[in-house]
Amino acid sequence: MYEQVKYFYPVSAWLPRNATVVNQKAFDALDKPLQDAVLKAAAAAEERGWATSERVDKEFIKELSAKGMTVAEPSDSIKKELASIGESMTADWVKSAGADGQAIIDAYRKK
């Protein structure tokens, strides 16, 4: 990318991440101490995952700069336009996902 493009504006539109999904019935079937252990391990994995994601993102940006790209903060107008696009995409997804999708977005926005 740095061979063809001279400017990079980090907008945090994508950070590497993974997710683990569990079956609610299977989780509910575990006894309380085991549920607590699973949740504790999940919290630790989430913390490690975000830290790793942020570290790798910084390393990639540093490498782009070292290879000659100008790395600069995006303008307020770019940030505003990206936020608008994100809201439109979210609204489109909620239309197709229905009430369950809206509940997910509401919970996300509370966090």
Side-chain angles (χ1 to χ4, degrees):
M1 186 165 128
Y2 54 83
E3 297 163 341
Q4 303 297 320
V5 179
K6 296 299 174 196
Y7 297 92
F8 180 77
Y9 302 97
V11 295
S12 299
W14 176 84
L15 290 174
R17 65 187 73 135
N18 293 305
T20 301
V21 179
V22 298
N23 178 285
Q24 188 68 53
K25 284 183 181 181
F27 180 80
D28 292 342
L30 302 174
D31 62 29
K32 179 74 170 132
L34 193 49
Q35 287 179 352
D36 291 344
V38 168
L39 291 174
K40 182 178 178 182
E46 179 181 19
E47 187 174 322
R48 273 191 326 274
W50 279 114
T52 300
S53 178
E54 290 171 11
R55 178 183 51 77
V56 169
D57 187 56
K58 287 176 185 173
E59 289 172 1
F60 288 154
I61 290 171
K62 184 177 177 180
E63 183 175 351
L64 292 175
S65 182
K67 299 287 186 176
M69 288 187 82
T70 299
V71 177
E73 286 299 311
S75 67
D76 288 340
S77 63
I78 289 174
K79 291 178 185 178
K80 186 176 179 180
E81 186 63 26
L82 288 173
S84 176
I85 292 167
E87 287 300 319
S88 293
M89 292 174 69
T90 300
D92 289 346
W93 179 79
V94 167
K95 281 182 193 174
S96 67
D100 289 341
Q102 185 64 58
I104 291 168
I105 296 300
D106 292 344
Y108 173 78
R109 288 184 172 153
K110 286 181 185 177
K111 193 171 185 182

